[in-house]
Amino acid sequence: MTRLWPTIRHILHMRRLWQAVLLVSVVAILYLATTSSSYPIPSSDNDKVNHLIAFIELTIVTRLAWPRLSAFWYAPALLGFGLLLEVVQASLPYRDFSLADVLADSLGIAIGMLPWPGTRRPREMDLRDSPESL
């Protein structure tokens, strides 16, 4: 168990991995939001729960991929992605635009911005952190 936490911490700080996960997540969500067929993955009967979970995941993965990026940048970008999905869905004959979906996306972003283990910004090194300062 003592070796597990350093391994988890190491994985949480692998920014390239989380950037790839974010790209795959965006592509998967874009596909699921625009496909006409029912998807073979487990999902909630309530579409709003699916939006909520998707945007919690997108927000947490964004924070892991770019830990120094301010919420002032990624929160509007993620909300813009959710709005873009709804605009695209409005143009599809088998989908509808829904402001309730955008609200669920917003709530998911807000929950994803809460303090989660491993998503804290790395501290800047300071001279006070050096062994010579003791």
Side-chain angles (χ1 to χ4, degrees):
M1 188 68 160
T2 59
R3 292 185 49 97
L4 181 63
W5 291 117
T7 303
I8 291 172
R9 243 182 258 118
H10 177 70
I11 291 170
L12 289 174
H13 290 95
M14 296 175 73
R15 288 188 302 202
R16 293 284 184 221
L17 169 70
W18 296 112
Q19 290 168 358
V21 169
L22 181 64
L23 178 65
V24 169
S25 296
V26 166
V27 169
I29 290 169
L30 185 60
Y31 170 75
L32 293 172
T34 57
T35 185
S36 62
S37 62
S38 61
Y39 10 96
I41 61 169
S43 63
S44 169
D45 291 335
N46 186 341
D47 179 49
K48 306 313 172 245
V49 173
N50 294 335
H51 280 264
L52 183 73
I53 292 169
F55 278 82
I56 289 171
E57 184 264 344
L58 285 175
T59 305
I60 291 173
V61 171
T62 299
R63 291 175 65 191
L64 290 169
W66 288 281
R68 296 185 187 277
L69 189 63
S70 169
F72 291 114
W73 290 101
Y74 68 78
L78 291 172
L79 188 58
F81 176 65
L83 191 58
L84 177 69
L85 288 176
E86 293 303 316
V87 169
V88 168
Q89 286 180 347
S91 68
L92 299 174
Y94 46 86
R95 297 286 183 152
D96 294 320
F97 180 92
S98 171
L99 281 178
D101 288 348
V102 176
L103 183 61
D105 298 345
S106 302
L107 184 58
I109 293 167
I111 293 170
M113 289 173 55
L114 293 173
W116 291 90
T119 58
R120 289 183 302 167
R121 288 186 186 175
R123 284 186 27 202
E124 292 289 331
M125 289 300 291
D126 191 346
L127 289 176
R128 293 175 291 199
D129 294 329
S130 67
E132 290 81 29
S133 67
L134 299 174

